[in-house]
Amino acid sequence: MLINYVVLAQTNVPDDGSLMKSNGKIYVVMAVVIVIVLGLFIYLIALDRKLRRIEKDK
């Protein structure tokens, strides 16, 4: 009985990773992730500079 389930579970459909690579969408996803991470770093650096200025004034 278990062998039937194992055999049925094996298909020739590519997984999501290879499907995205074949369509070129993985590059779009990576570009969006990089833009978000860079935006967060820039925001944190700007926030740190503002905090340093406020601490320096006091």
Side-chain angles (χ1 to χ4, degrees):
M1 234 184 192
L2 290 175
I3 294 173
N4 289 337
Y5 289 119
V6 172
V7 171
L8 289 175
Q10 296 175 356
T11 61
N12 290 333
V13 178
D15 61 342
D16 290 335
S18 64
L19 180 65
M20 289 182 75
K21 284 181 186 177
S22 67
N23 291 338
K25 292 180 184 177
I26 191 72
Y27 301 114
V28 174
V29 172
M30 290 303 296
V32 169
V33 169
I34 288 171
V35 167
I36 290 172
V37 169
L38 284 176
L40 286 173
F41 279 130
I42 291 170
Y43 173 73
L44 289 175
I45 290 170
L47 189 63
D48 185 50
R49 288 182 181 175
K50 287 180 184 179
L51 286 174
R52 284 185 189 176
R53 232 181 284 141
I54 291 172
E55 288 176 353
K56 198 177 198 182
D57 291 341
K58 287 187 177 184

